[in-house]
Amino acid sequence: MSQNDPMAHIALVALVVRDYDEAIRFYTEALGFELAEDTPRPDGSRWVVVRPRGAGTDTGSTALLLALAKDGDQRERVGDQTAAASGSSCTPTTSPGTTRG
């Protein structure tokens, strides 16, 4: 892709979460997403991807990569990751179904 080519799609959007399992429950149970991948990594972290149910795996699908907060600064931002255009939060904060935003 050159600088002049339009972006075809965004495959993954990373969201920082406090706890992998809490976030998986929120996205799968509260929002009806499906768990696309949950793979342990050598450093002890996990590669966790959720996507809207039925979105499939085609190249036009967008999914969420759930990234574990690694320090206090990142933990403070959990639940406060907003989209510039909408200002809406997409990350669970205290319990599944509860968000800040």
Side-chain angles (χ1 to χ4, degrees):
M1 178 184 289
S2 74
Q3 289 181 330
N4 295 328
D5 292 336
M7 185 181 299
H9 71 281
I10 297 174
L12 289 174
V13 174
L15 292 175
V16 178
V17 299
R18 179 183 27 256
D19 177 85
Y20 288 120
D21 295 319
E22 174 189 34
I24 290 169
R25 278 191 306 277
F26 175 77
Y27 283 100
T28 59
E29 295 174 12
L31 298 181
F33 281 37
E34 62 187 9
L35 180 61
E37 185 173 357
D38 186 354
T39 305
R41 298 183 54 185
D43 66 358
S45 65
R46 292 159 55 186
W47 184 263
V48 179
V49 177
V50 295
R51 65 176 171 234
R53 189 164 304 285
T57 58
D58 65 350
T59 57
S61 299
T62 301
L64 301 177
L65 172 64
L66 305 180
L68 188 64
K70 295 190 185 288
D71 59 34
D73 288 339
Q74 287 184 359
R75 279 188 290 280
E76 287 181 21
R77 303 305 303 175
V78 170
D80 193 24
Q81 299 168 82
T82 58
S86 68
S88 62
S89 177
C90 298
T91 307
T93 56
T94 57
S95 64
T98 303
T99 59
R100 283 187 353 212

